Amino acid sequence: MKYVDVFRDAKLAHQLAQHIHQQADPERHYRLMEFCGGHTHAVFRYGLPALLPDNVELVHGPGCPVCVLPVTRLEQALELSRLPEVILCSYGDMLRVPAGKGQSLLKARADGADIRMLYSPLEALTLAQQHPERQVVFFAIGFETTTPPTAVLIQRADEMGISNLSVLCNHVLTPAAMHAILTPSEGEATAIDGFIGPAHVSTVIGSEAYAPFPRQFGKPVVIAGFEPLDLLQAISMLVGQLNRHEARVENQFSWAVTPGGNPKARALVEQVFERRDSFEWRGLGEVPASALKIRPEYARYDAEQRFELSAPRAREHPACECPAVLRGQKRPDQCRLFGTPCTPDNPLGACMVSSEGACAAWYRYNRGRIAMQERE
Ligand code: SF4
């Protein structure tokens, strides 16, 4: 791939890693959180931890949208899918996420529920047109990158006068989650020295959205792309800032991320959505102003308004350590279910479902190394 290969150049990667070895102060430990699940996947796929000095530790954050969705919201989607008039649709990964009592959307589909997998929210519009006698519900999840397409869906439905479509909205906000990670929970904040910020989210929200983290918490943020050289450069930039006792927002992905983000996308989201007072995150608990809901002007497209949804009390697997993994307090292999019996084919927790989930990435790319260590 002509334009990607240059960001995967092994020789340059080793040079950058060498530079980080020279930069890292042996007297200190660096805990850097890659917030986004896409970064977590890239970190393991390209074996970056093996290139870094032992005292530069990458901590995996909660930026995988299916991992952070609380089971209660998934239970609501399951409840909707059981209504005979409903066609429930969502992205593929969401279908495999385990809910309570061994349920998932995939199992509900096998049991006869009409659940469809979409690649684009606009496919829900087509479904609504094809089935005017049914109610099409889009189970919307994701961070700031997937929110504008959901806004387009709602506006398009409104323009076209489509009345049998609604959205169960679970769009969440990156800076609010970063804020929660740095805010002490039960007396203890997660020890993070700096953040690698997600490039794709930042193209929408802009680098200025991270300004509170250096200012309020003294933590540097470097926005980075998803290729190995992007990440190594971002790690070097963070280590450099920490060595100089600086805390700033830096932009490694400057060819696409601007200070103000994408004004058109932000305006679109602003027209259709407003902030919830609070939203539950798996792993982080209730986080104030951390998610979006549909504005009253578009209430007819809000599944929470259209259907009477209960607030189910769902239980996750009691031994699943996803909450601690998502806060960067535990590594996936520190969960006693990791690998046996929890695997990508048999996920017992949300972090094992998506390829962006920290447990799934560990399992896929670290399993051989772990097995070797166990044999030694
Ligand atoms: S290994 Fe499975 S059960 Fe353990 S934290 Fe990860 S997803 Fe949860």
Side-chain angles (χ1 to χ4, degrees):
M1 279 181 288
K2 186 178 168 194
Y3 298 108
V4 173
D5 283 350
V6 68
F7 292 94
R8 296 177 182 171
D9 185 298
K11 197 167 159 211
L12 284 176
H14 281 286
Q15 283 172 1
L16 266 170
Q18 193 57 39
H19 181 61
I20 296 168
H21 276 265
Q22 286 161 1
Q23 282 182 297
D25 176 354
E27 298 299 315
R28 64 163 298 174
H29 193 86
Y30 303 81
R31 284 193 102 228
L32 312 176
M33 176 177 273
E34 86 274 357
F35 179 87
C36 176
H39 278 153
T40 302
H41 183 85
V43 160
F44 286 112
R45 180 174 179 197
Y46 296 107
L48 299 192
L51 293 176
L52 298 175
D54 288 343
N55 61 335
V56 177
E57 182 187 1
L58 294 177
V59 181
H60 322 302
C64 157
V66 305
C67 303
V68 295
L69 190 81
V71 178
T72 47
R73 301 291 292 186
L74 178 54
E75 291 283 351
Q76 288 181 330
L78 280 163
E79 189 180 322
L80 281 171
S81 76
R82 288 183 202 111
L83 299 175
E85 72 271 28
V86 165
I87 300 174
L88 188 92
C89 33
S90 193
Y91 299 120
D93 276 349
M94 200 59 242
L95 270 52
R96 297 177 58 237
V97 178
K101 296 182 188 149
Q103 267 299 312
S104 68
L105 291 172
L106 211 54
K107 286 187 181 151
R109 186 165 77 172
D111 290 340
D114 195 347
I115 298 173
R116 318 272 180 112
M117 189 184 89
L118 302 185
Y119 291 101
S120 156
L122 290 184
E123 291 171 49
L125 212 54
T126 312
L127 274 175
Q129 286 174 304
Q130 287 169 344
H131 302 277
E133 75 294 353
R134 309 278 301 276
Q135 286 290 328
V136 175
V137 182
F138 177 52
F139 186 28
I141 61 154
F143 287 86
E144 290 89 338
T145 30
T146 50
T147 311
T150 307
V152 170
L153 168 69
I154 292 172
Q155 284 198 337
R156 230 11 110 79
D158 191 42
E159 286 158 14
M160 294 165 74
I162 290 179
S163 59
N164 62 327
L165 181 134
S166 58
V167 173
L168 181 57
C169 178
N170 300 281
H171 285 300
V172 288
L173 303 169
T174 301
M178 289 169 65
H179 196 280
I181 287 164
L182 294 173
T183 306
S185 129
E186 293 165 9
E188 215 184 316
T190 303
I192 299 293
D193 295 314
F195 287 100
I196 299 172
H200 53 1
V201 162
S202 307
T203 58
V204 177
I205 65 175
S207 58
E208 278 166 4
Y210 304 99
F213 303 106
R215 201 172 51 226
Q216 200 178 332
F217 297 98
K219 306 293 181 189
V221 179
V222 175
I223 297 159
F226 291 86
E227 296 300 327
L229 295 193
D230 293 322
L231 281 160
L232 287 168
Q233 189 182 10
I235 292 164
S236 171
M237 289 159 86
L238 280 171
V239 170
Q241 281 202 48
L242 291 164
N243 285 350
R244 295 189 298 273
H245 305 286
E246 291 175 4
R248 293 185 286 116
V249 177
E250 282 188 285
N251 185 4
Q252 184 273 339
F253 209 75
S254 55
W255 50 95
V257 175
T258 60
N262 181 331
K264 203 167 173 185
R266 290 177 65 180
L268 180 66
V269 169
E270 190 63 27
Q271 282 161 21
V272 176
F273 299 104
E274 61 186 9
R275 283 193 187 220
R276 294 177 190 267
D277 293 338
S278 179
F279 191 75
E280 186 195 349
W281 291 56
R282 193 187 288 230
L284 302 180
E286 284 289 333
V287 181
S290 64
L292 299 174
K293 63 180 179 181
I294 296 169
R295 283 190 180 279
E297 298 91 288
Y298 292 100
R300 61 198 170 281
Y301 296 105
D302 187 350
E304 290 172 69
Q305 308 278 337
R306 182 172 296 197
F307 301 93
E308 259 185 49
L309 294 173
S310 61
R313 291 175 60 82
R315 273 174 52 81
E316 297 173 31
H317 194 294
C320 172
E321 298 275 13
C322 278
V325 170
L326 289 165
R327 285 192 83 89
Q329 290 165 337
K330 283 201 172 172
R331 292 195 319 263
D333 63 330
Q334 290 172 324
C335 169
R336 67 182 172 85
L337 303 177
F338 178 81
T340 319
C342 184
T343 65
D345 287 336
N346 178 40
L348 298 180
C351 300
M352 193 56 97
V353 173
S354 160
S355 63
E356 295 192 356
C359 295
W362 259 80
Y363 185 86
R364 182 159 180 203
Y365 296 110
N366 266 5
R367 201 159 38 115
R369 190 172 63 79
I370 293 163
M372 259 168 58
Q373 281 170 351
E374 280 169 357
R375 278 201 296 275
E376 283 165 10

